[in-house]
Each structure stands twice: as structure tokens, then as C-alpha cells.
Amino acid sequence: MTHVFGRREILGAGLGAASLLASGQLRAQSAPSARWAYLVPGFTVLVARYLEQKKLAEAAGAKMSAPTEYTTVSTYYNDFAAGNYDVCIGSWDVFAQRYEAGVPIRLLCTITSADMISILTGEAAIKSVPDLKGKTLAAPQATGTFRMVSSLIKERYGLELGRDINVQGVDNPATSMTLILADRADGGLSWEPNVSAALARRSNLNLIFNAGSAYREISDGSELPYFGIAVRADFAERYPQEVARIRTTFERCINGIIGDPGEAVGIVSDKTGFPAPVLLDALKSRRLSFRFGSMTAPEERAAVVKAGEFLKRNGLLKKSIDPAFFIAA
């Protein structure tokens, strides 16, 4: 017997189909797993491995894919700018420069201070940066860190790298420490854990400059943020709740490392490219200074804006930091 559908059944079926369609659309709009990456060797391996081993993304309800490992700095940043992954660990000034150039990225948080950047010497007669005048500093000239340190030295001491202090360019921050250890340069600019690795190999090496300390001296004690987490703007705008969970994930990661450096180093072992004792010394000495700063906090945004003014007056940024640069909610 053929069943004849009544008006109410037809309407009901239509509403049910619409409901299923809407449900499907909602599912399609749910956040995908965020793609992210880190650099090797270096301290970002510590962050990535600790986060994964502790299952911090799952605990925060965040969906993060297995991270991609990069070995080349330029490719790492260029792939992020091209949209090949969504979440990047890097120096915030590089993110600010890319944002100013039109790359759609936003700053989520900061995770370290510039205290991790130092100049070392093996010469007993060199006590401070002015003693390098007319001498040679080995430094990775192609990095934003070099440009930042050049600006700090110019403001703090009135000296210009490349004019008053000769610069021997190197390809990576580890090489500048190698030249110091081999007595082939008077000073070397690098950052952690390279600095701690050099100090572990030669006890007569001395720190004569620290970027964080220099910035505090010229800025009434303010902290200079360094590494942070940036997110692609399209991902941040489409999935704000997911981005908040990712923020929580990194906050728990950084606070966990600070709370128990020994456990953190034990988790990564030598996978950072540095011996575990070296990495532990970097953390315990606070030369590698982790500090979580969420851009939802007005005081953290203010610190980045102030640091942006320092970069601007030294020609590293063309404009003041745009408030839209921050993921503030």
C-alpha cells in the first residue's frame, strides 16, 4: 500500500533535514588541529617536547597537530608568513616586522625575556662593551637579534657595531661562540643555550653585555620581551576559543618549565642539541629566562608597545605597534 505523506510529515521531514544540514555546517566550522613548528637545535625543542610529553594541549582542550621540525631560520619564518602552518614560536620583533610588511599574523603571548642574549669574551683586559672599541666581535649579522643588540649598544654606550667595533659575520649563533673558544675573535654575540655551552667549555670566559640588562638601563627598569608565540590571523579570527586554549597550553608549558627545570630537561634529554647539564645550567642561572606574558593583559601589551618604540627610533620598525597586532581577547 502506497503511503501518502501529509503536510505535517513533509514539513517535519524538511525541518529535520535542515537541522541535520545546520548540524553538519556547525561541525564543518569547528576548529581543525592547529599546525605548528619549532627550530632545531635550540631551546624551542624544550618547549615543544615538554608540551607534547605532558600532553598539555589535550589537558587544555586544544587541538594541535604534531609539530613540524625546521633546521633553517629563514625557511621557518618564511613558511609561517606563507601560511604553511598556524602557530609559530619566534622573536616578537620579527613578528612585528612581518606584520608591518602586511603578513597576516598576530601576537598571542611572549615566553622569554631578552636576558637570554649576551656577549662573551675570553680576553681578561676586556671588561665591558667600550673595551671592544677597535676590536672584533663575532656575531650573526643576518639576525634580528644582531640589529636589536646594535641598537642597544648605540643607545647605551654611543658606539656603533661595524664602525667603532669591527664585526666578523657568522652564519649562526653557535659559530660566534666557536670563534671565541678558538681565540679568533675578541668578543662573541649569541643567545642561550649557546652561551651556557661556551661557558661550560672554558671557565675563563666572561659575560660583558646582556641585552635584557642593557634595555633595563635605558628604559627605567622595563623588561625587553624576546621570544613569543604568533598565530596566523585567519586562524585567530575564525577560531578564537581554540586560540584561547592554545594560549592556555603554552602558559602551562612555560610555567611548568619554570617550576621544575630538572624535570623539563629530563624530558628532552639531549634532543635540544645541547648536553642536559648545559641546558639545566642555562635555566637555573636564569640566563635562559622564561616568562609567560599574555597579550590579554594590558601591562604585557604595554611592554611590547614600549619596546616597539625603542625599535622604531632605531629604524627597526617604521611605525608604532598597531593595537591590532595583539590577540587581546
Side-chain angles (χ1 to χ4, degrees), residues 241-264:
Q241 292 182 335
E242 185 65 18
V243 169
R245 296 184 190 106
I246 292 171
R247 181 194 296 115
T248 298
T249 299
F250 280 105
E251 180 176 13
R252 291 175 179 175
C253 178
I254 299 307
N255 290 340
I257 294 170
I258 294 170
D260 195 338
E263 180 194 32

Side-chain angles (χ1 to χ4, degrees), residues 145-163:
T145 301
F146 175 80
R147 294 186 288 274
M148 180 187 292
V149 167
S150 297
S151 300
L152 286 167
I153 287 175
K154 183 177 180 180
E155 289 204 12
R156 175 65 180 83
Y157 301 103
L159 299 172
E160 289 191 26
L161 296 185
R163 186 190 70 181

Side-chain angles (χ1 to χ4, degrees), residues 157-202:
Y157 301 103
L159 299 172
E160 289 191 26
L161 296 185
R163 186 190 70 181
D164 302 302
I165 299 170
N166 301 319
V167 176
Q168 182 172 346
V170 298
D171 292 332
N172 62 64
T175 305
S176 57
M177 297 293 94
T178 300
L179 294 180
I180 287 294
L181 292 167
D183 294 318
R184 291 172 55 193
D186 302 297
L189 168 66
S190 192
W191 51 85
E192 292 293 349
N194 300 295
V195 171
S196 289
L199 290 170
R201 292 182 62 183
R202 265 182 59 179

